[in-house]
Each structure stands twice: as structure tokens, then as C-alpha cells.
Amino acid sequence: MNIIESHPVFGNKNLEQVTIYFEGQPFEAYKNQSIAAALMTNGIKRLGASRKNVQARGLFCSSGRCCSCYMTVNGEDHVQTCMKRVEEGMEIFPNNEDPQIRSERE
């Protein structure tokens, strides 16, 4: 993984590792990292596909303003992965299609 362990301004980071699962494959991440940052650190840049053109989507604004980083996390569709922190055992999948409407699931 590529990560800055010591920064001249921010100092040393807490580098406690957790395991997350992307499409069923285990990856190491660091506690307090966003999901999107953890995936990028592990070389995963394609976070899903656009509905209309079926083109790859990835991290764009990294501040919660756009919808490029939406993914399915622990069964919940359209989670902003740039804003949500990793947790041990998280199951993450790309959003490659429209989500099912909750009333249709019940």
C-alpha cells in the first residue's frame, strides 16, 4: 500500500490496520481512512459505472459534493465512500446499475 506514514505538518498517523472486502477480496486499510482512499491506496480506481453511458466512475471531488464515489457498503446502496470511514470487515461493491427502491425490497 502507498500511504504517507509521517507528514512534516500533520505528523505521524495512527496506522492501525483493518481488513475490508471489495467484491469479496480482502484488502488492508487503515483506521480513519475513507473507503474511497483505502480503495485508491490498494490500486482500485474504478468505483462503479455511470448509468447512462456505462462508463467507469472514480473518485472525483473527494468532498461529498458529487456522486462519482457512490458504492454499495454492507448492503446499503449509494454510500458516499469519500465521506465514510472504513470499519473492520466492511463489504464493498461497485454500483453498476440503478439501486432497487426500498419499497420494492420489502
Side-chain angles (χ1 to χ4, degrees), residues 41-95:
T41 301
N42 282 287
I44 298 166
K45 297 177 184 174
R46 186 182 191 280
L47 305 181
S50 65
R51 296 182 323 175
K52 186 176 180 181
N53 298 323
V54 194
Q55 295 177 330
R57 287 185 301 105
L59 190 58
F60 181 68
C61 75
S62 194
S63 63
R65 299 263 182 182
C66 72
C67 59
S68 288
C69 70
Y70 283 179
M71 300 181 82
T72 300
V73 179
N74 293 335
E76 184 180 345
D77 291 332
H78 282 70
V79 174
Q80 281 185 305
T81 59
C82 71
M83 302 304 290
K84 183 149 178 83
R85 305 286 179 205
V86 295
E87 297 172 4
E88 180 66 42
M90 231 175 208
E91 295 277 347
I92 305 159
F93 293 91
N95 279 352

Side-chain angles (χ1 to χ4, degrees), residues 1 8 13-15 17 19 23 25-26 31 35-36 42 53 57 63 66-67 75-76 79 82 87 89 98 101 103:
M1 275 194 293
K13 290 260 187 181
N14 177 5
L15 298 178
Q17 288 191 338
T19 301
E23 295 186 315
Q25 298 294 318
K31 216 171 191 178
I35 297 169
N42 282 287
N53 298 323
R57 287 185 301 105
S63 63
C66 72
C67 59
E76 184 180 345
V79 174
C82 71
E87 297 172 4
D98 288 339
I101 298 172
S103 62

